[in-house]
């Protein structure tokens, strides 16, 4: 159940639309170890324990052989290890704090938090475990993968206090990620991917056998550049300022930014990172649907 | 009608227009910077085209207008030639307005020839005023091209002794007498000075009678001079059989009916006599009397050489007259002249009113005065009102809730 907090991290309608979606990893899907989405209890891979029968347990779960030996009813329980672990990499650098002038309370980071909550919701629905790391400042902050509602609550709690500040961590500070993110894990990166270091991180994770997905968050102003008249633009991470006339800068910016988007996309493609773009005025489930919906 | 500025230097206040312009220009630098992470793809223009950009145009316009109006108000704008050209029909009180209107051309501005020039539609003004003065006032106020028609009754009251001289030719229309002339104006105040004693006119018969009841009171040392006055008073009597004038020492009581008193005593006037004078009597004093506290004195009687023989002034409702020389034949030979009684009677009698009644036909105004410059109409009250309204608009614009930012 969502906590009765002031703004729910995940709006109910988005939560509803996400119900039909399942996390899907290309490598996991169709592999010999079975479909990770299966929740067939008892047909698990590894025996866990016997426990006493309680009314309501399915008869087929009863260990009849043991009953024959001991004349008592026991239920076989299997601990099913999920074949899928989801890692949510949340970029919390200063550029993520950018919002549109028309909607100043909806920053890129807010959208990323909501997407993270949605991903956690999907993992929870699929019985998959999930962990997360926030990337900002000196070193990434990690929480080990886990499953269940309480782990989800922990995620929500941490996201509630997360602020966008600082720059993207440099390559030397990525070490914890290498040790914690296991091979064949599913990694979803939520970032604007403007920083080449972000591309580098995603590319190296993908090159090391993880399946990496990236959701590139763009603001409406970056897509449309609706500025008129004299403005001062400031880079939130470097503090660099650039004065200019909105109309004059527009055409050139749209051209150069379009090229940059295409180049970043191409680079991510080259390095084996699946990616989608999400602009802040789109519905929240759109990027997830593009990533995990359909046959993919 | 033309506009003019009475204090053109006030326009220097227009320099204050720079202030709101600067305020609205300076806001560019106080702009909040926009967070823009994609700054690296924004190409800085090597030569940013700095076009002056003004924010809040409406507010700026209101402020500029307000300052312009204030500067204009300081320069004191005025309208020259407030009264329009065209034909003006002036009807003097006493003339028939309907007949005057019938003669005047259509479209003429019809007014009474009275202070303030009220419309002819109003009732005839009661107050009598100097027609000459009104004519001169209107002539100075009217623009050069205006034509003036003046309808006057056959006899004019309240005119100057001279024909008025105006800057334009006046269509002078004398109406046949319809209404009886207004009663003569009351005499001007007793303090007013006049040229000198004149021969008595029939109008002054009543006054003359009052003078004939001269009451003579003389101190013993002035008995000699009192004889001349007494003789003159006796000479006024219409017949020899009439009673002798009431003459006596200072201690004798003054009859209540005494309108003319000869108080021939040195020193200040006693309070009792003074009260009589204030009550409307006329008192004759010798040179030995002191007239401190009786008010300013005016020469009333000069001899052939122009030396003052008698002076006088008003006191309350009455008058005082004083010889400036001792009443002796040596100091004042006029006392021996045969016309001394008549002169003395004139000195004691009321001054005649100035001639104010004239036949209108003879009073056609002359042409040849310098044209007056019409008095400008001050527009400051209108400007003040406009400034107040604009200030309210400016405040409303500046404090309305949907404003984005200061100033």
């Amino acid at each position: 159940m969502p906590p009765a907090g002031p703004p729910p991290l995940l709006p109910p309608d988005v939560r509803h639309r996400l119900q039909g979606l399942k996390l899907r990893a290309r490598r996991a899907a169709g592999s010999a170890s079975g479909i990770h989405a299966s929740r067939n209890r008892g047909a698990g891979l590894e025996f866990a324990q016997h426990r006493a029968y309680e009314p309501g347990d399915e008869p087929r779960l009863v260990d009849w052989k043991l009953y024959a030996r001991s004349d008592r009813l026991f239920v076989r329980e299997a601990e099913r290890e999920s074949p899928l672990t989801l890692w949510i990499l949340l970029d919390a650098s200063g550029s993520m704090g950018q919002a549109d002038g028309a909607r100043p309370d909806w920053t890129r980071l807010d959208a990323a938090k909501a997407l993270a909550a949605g991903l956690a919701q999907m993992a929870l629905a699929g019985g998959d475990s999930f962990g997360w790391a926030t990337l900002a400042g000196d070193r990434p902050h990690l929480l080990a993968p886990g499953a269940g509602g309480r782990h989800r609550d922990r995620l929500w709690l941490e996201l509630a206090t997360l602020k966008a500040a600082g720059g993207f961590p440099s390559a030397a500070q990525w070490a914890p990620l290498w040790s914690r993110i296991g091979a064949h894990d599913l990694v979803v990166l939520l970032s604007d991917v403007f920083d080449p270091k972000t591309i580098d991180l995603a590319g190296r994770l993908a090159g090391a056998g993880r399946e990496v997905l990236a959701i590139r968050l763009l603001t409406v102003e970056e897509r449309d550049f609706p500025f008129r008249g004299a403005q001062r633009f400031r880079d939130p991470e470097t503090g660099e300022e650039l004065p200019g006339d909105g109309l004059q800068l527009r055409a050139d910016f749209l051209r150069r930014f379009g090229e940059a988007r295409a180049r970043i996309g191409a680079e991510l493609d080259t390095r084996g990172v699946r990616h989608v773009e999400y602009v802040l005025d789109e519905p929240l489930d759109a990027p997830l649907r593009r990533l995990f919906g359909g046959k993919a | 009608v033309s506009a003019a500025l009475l204090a053109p230097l006030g326009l220097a206040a227009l320099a204050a227009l720079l202030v709101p312009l600067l305020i609205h220009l300076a806001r560019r630098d106080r702009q909040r910077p926009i967070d823009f992470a994609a700054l690296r793809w924004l190409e800085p223009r090597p030569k940013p085209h700095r076009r002056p950009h003004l924010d809040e145009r409406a507010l700026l316009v209101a402020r500029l207008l307000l300052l312009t109006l204030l500067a204009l108000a300081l320069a004191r704008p005025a309208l020259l030639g407030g009264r329009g050209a065209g034909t003006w029909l002036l009807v003097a009180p006493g003339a028939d307005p309907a007949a005057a209107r019938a003669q005047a051309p259509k479209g003429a501005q019809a007014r009474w020839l009275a202070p303030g020039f009220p419309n002819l539609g109003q009732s005839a003004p009661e107050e009598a005023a100097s027609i000459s003065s009104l004519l001169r006032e209107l002539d100075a106020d009217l623009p050069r091209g205006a034509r003036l028609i003046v309808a006057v009754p056959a006899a004019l009251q309240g005119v100057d002794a001279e024909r008025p001289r105006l800057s334009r030719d006046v269509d002078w229309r004398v109406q046949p007498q319809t209404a009886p002339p207004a009663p003569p104006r009351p005499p001007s105040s007793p303090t007013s000075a006049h040229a000198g004693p004149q021969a008595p006119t029939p109008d002054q018969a009543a006054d003359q009678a009052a003078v004939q009841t001269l009451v003579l009171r003389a101190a013993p040392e002035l008995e000699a001079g009192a004889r001349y006055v007494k003789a003159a008073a006796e000479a006024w009597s219409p017949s020899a059989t009439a009673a002798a004038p009431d003459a006596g020492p200072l201690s004798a009581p003054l009859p209540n009916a005494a309108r003319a008193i000869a108080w021939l005593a040195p020193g200040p006037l006693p309070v009792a006599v003074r009260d009589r004078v204030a009550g409307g009597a006329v008192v004759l004093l010798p040179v030995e009397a002191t007239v401190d506290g009786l008010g300013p004195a005016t020469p009333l009687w000069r001899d052939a050489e122009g030396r003052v023989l008698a002076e006088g002034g008003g006191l309350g409702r009455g008058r005082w007259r004083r010889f400036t020389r001792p009443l002796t034949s040596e100091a004042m030979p006029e006392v021996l002249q045969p016309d001394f009684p008549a002169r003395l009677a004139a000195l004691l009698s009321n001054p005649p009113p100035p001639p104010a009644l004239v036949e209108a036909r003879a009073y056609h105004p002359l042409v040849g005065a310098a044209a007056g410059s019409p008095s400008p109409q001050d527009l400051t009250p209108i400007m003040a009102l406009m400034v107040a309204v604009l200030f309210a608009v400016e405040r409303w614009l500046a404090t309305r809730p949907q404003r984005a930012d200061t100033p």
Side-chain angles (χ1 to χ4, degrees):
Chain A
M1 288 297 106
L9 206 49
L10 199 59
D13 57 326
V14 179
R15 189 188 165 87
H16 178 75
R17 289 201 295 269
L18 286 180
Q19 270 177 1
L21 279 181
K22 296 265 184 280
L23 286 186
R24 197 188 287 261
R26 268 183 305 191
R27 290 183 188 124
S31 73
S33 53
I35 298 166
H36 83 278
S38 137
R39 292 198 65 187
N40 289 341
R41 230 170 235 284
L45 303 170
E46 212 167 304
F47 169 76
Q49 61 170 359
H50 279 114
R51 66 167 169 81
Y53 171 81
E54 288 175 3
D57 281 341
E58 287 183 48
R60 64 188 182 100
L61 296 180
V62 174
D63 192 342
W64 296 110
K65 283 181 182 167
L66 191 61
Y67 172 68
R69 273 205 304 273
S70 65
D71 206 15
R72 292 171 66 177
L73 288 171
F74 286 98
V75 175
R76 251 181 98 90
E77 276 201 334
E79 185 175 287
R80 197 198 109 226
E81 196 179 342
S82 167
L84 188 64
T85 301
L86 170 69
W87 278 93
I88 303 168
L89 297 193
L90 192 59
D91 180 2
S93 60
S95 63
M96 293 294 285
Q98 182 182 338
D100 286 317
R103 194 181 169 189
D105 58 346
W106 181 242
T107 63
R108 226 195 301 252
L109 187 66
D110 288 332
K113 284 177 183 178
L115 286 173
L119 284 167
Q121 194 65 35
M122 288 167 64
L124 206 62
D128 301 318
S129 58
F130 58 94
W132 64 87
T134 55
L135 306 168
D138 290 341
R139 47 182 309 187
H141 172 79
L142 276 95
L143 202 70
R150 299 193 52 183
H151 200 63
R152 192 256 328 260
D153 292 347
R154 219 169 288 145
L155 170 70
W156 282 48
L157 203 62
E158 268 195 30
L159 290 183
T161 56
L162 187 62
K163 296 267 188 301
F168 197 79
S170 58
Q173 290 148 349
W174 297 341
L177 294 177
W178 303 130
S179 56
R180 303 297 283 277
I181 302 179
H184 308 299
D185 281 357
L186 177 63
V187 178
V188 179
L189 175 66
L190 303 171
S191 170
D192 50 27
V193 206
F194 288 164
D195 197 326
K197 282 183 287 190
T198 322
I199 307 172
D200 196 27
L201 173 64
R204 281 162 75 166
L205 280 172
R210 285 87 171 171
E211 177 168 2
V212 182
L213 311 178
I215 300 181
R216 299 159 56 195
L217 298 113
L218 301 181
T219 65
V220 181
E221 284 171 354
E222 283 162 356
R223 182 191 61 192
D224 298 341
F225 206 75
F227 302 110
R228 299 280 181 276
Q231 307 282 357
R232 276 194 303 146
F233 301 100
R234 186 183 61 185
D235 191 318
E237 288 181 30
T238 62
E240 187 187 343
E241 288 198 359
L242 188 145
D245 186 85
L247 272 181
Q248 287 190 337
L249 292 174
R250 185 167 190 270
D252 199 46
F253 169 78
L254 287 183
R255 180 181 57 78
R256 292 177 54 159
F257 188 59
E259 287 169 3
R261 276 160 72 179
R263 199 186 60 243
I264 291 171
E267 196 165 346
L268 288 174
D269 282 340
T270 322
R271 302 186 70 161
V273 178
R274 282 172 63 209
H275 57 91
V276 292
E277 271 188 351
Y278 168 69
V279 186
L280 289 190
D281 59 351
E282 291 174 355
L284 266 175
D285 56 328
L288 300 177
R289 202 166 284 282
R290 264 176 271 156
L291 276 179
F292 301 111
K295 302 255 161 103
Chain B
V1 177
S2 59
L5 297 176
L6 299 186
L9 273 185
L11 288 184
L14 283 177
L17 288 181
L18 279 178
V19 176
L21 280 174
L22 286 179
I23 286 177
H24 283 252
L25 262 183
R27 293 190 57 221
R28 168 206 286 269
D29 295 332
R30 279 186 278 148
Q31 224 171 31
R32 225 161 42 96
I34 296 172
D35 274 350
F36 205 69
L39 190 76
R40 67 200 81 181
W41 294 289
L42 264 180
E43 192 180 17
R45 298 258 156 172
K47 246 175 85 177
H49 186 65
R50 260 188 89 98
R51 201 181 37 183
H53 182 79
L54 297 170
D55 296 303
E56 306 237 20
R57 305 276 178 112
L59 182 60
L60 177 63
V61 166
R63 285 175 171 169
L64 290 180
L65 265 180
L66 179 64
L67 283 179
T68 311
L69 270 184
L70 273 175
L72 263 182
L74 279 180
R76 297 193 53 213
L79 281 185
L80 292 182
R83 296 176 196 273
T87 308
W88 284 68
L89 169 67
L90 272 297
V91 179
D96 180 17
R101 239 195 241 277
Q103 292 177 358
K106 288 268 177 199
Q109 293 247 37
R111 304 286 176 97
W112 282 109
L113 191 57
F117 303 104
N119 257 321
L120 202 57
Q122 301 174 17
S123 55
E126 299 274 323
E127 188 184 353
S130 166
I131 285 177
S132 325
S133 162
L134 287 170
L135 277 175
R136 281 192 294 268
E137 178 189 341
L138 189 68
D139 179 56
D141 266 1
L142 284 184
R144 208 160 290 234
R147 188 175 158 228
L148 197 53
I149 303 173
V150 182
V152 288
L156 276 181
Q157 294 285 345
V159 294
D160 287 356
E162 196 183 8
R163 286 168 71 185
R165 195 172 281 275
L166 304 181
S167 67
R168 75 195 74 225
D169 191 19
V170 171
D171 192 348
W172 190 256
R173 298 194 175 161
V174 182
Q175 293 186 345
Q177 184 84 29
T178 51
R185 287 191 300 161
S188 49
S189 80
T191 53
S192 61
H194 294 287
Q198 296 165 347
T201 58
D203 288 344
Q204 295 167 294
D207 207 38
Q208 187 73 40
V211 167
Q212 280 166 10
T213 62
L214 180 72
V215 176
L216 184 67
R217 294 290 180 265
E221 65 267 31
L222 293 177
E223 276 295 343
R227 284 184 296 123
Y228 297 110
V229 178
K230 190 181 174 191
E234 277 172 355
W236 295 338
S237 302
S239 65
T241 56
D246 178 4
L250 291 180
S251 52
L254 286 171
N256 280 337
R259 303 296 302 151
I261 303 164
W263 189 262
L264 303 180
L269 201 58
V271 175
V273 183
R274 202 186 167 110
D275 288 346
R276 291 295 188 99
V277 175
V282 57
V283 66
L284 184 68
L285 300 173
V287 69
E288 290 83 1
T290 55
V291 292
D292 300 332
L294 292 187
T298 317
L300 293 180
W301 186 6
R302 293 171 192 272
D303 64 7
E305 279 82 36
R307 286 169 300 189
V308 176
L309 296 180
E311 60 184 7
L315 179 69
R317 290 195 287 121
R319 309 178 298 283
W320 59 269
R321 301 286 184 256
R322 174 173 169 264
F323 292 109
T324 53
R325 301 186 184 188
L327 279 173
T328 59
S329 54
E330 293 84 10
M332 191 169 160
E334 283 79 5
V335 297
L336 301 179
Q337 297 296 320
D339 64 343
F340 177 67
R343 291 275 190 180
L344 189 62
L347 181 68
L348 291 178
S349 65
N350 264 337
L357 186 68
V358 73
E359 203 174 352
R361 258 180 302 143
Y363 204 66
H364 193 297
L366 300 169
V367 183
S373 56
S375 66
Q377 185 189 356
D378 201 352
L379 294 181
T380 306
I382 303 170
M383 302 291 291
L385 195 70
M386 290 165 73
V387 164
V389 168
L390 255 182
F391 184 69
V393 167
E394 191 268 343
R395 278 297 91 193
W396 174 74
L397 282 174
T399 56
R400 67 190 198 277
Q402 60 264 38
R403 273 200 69 201
D405 223 336
T406 47

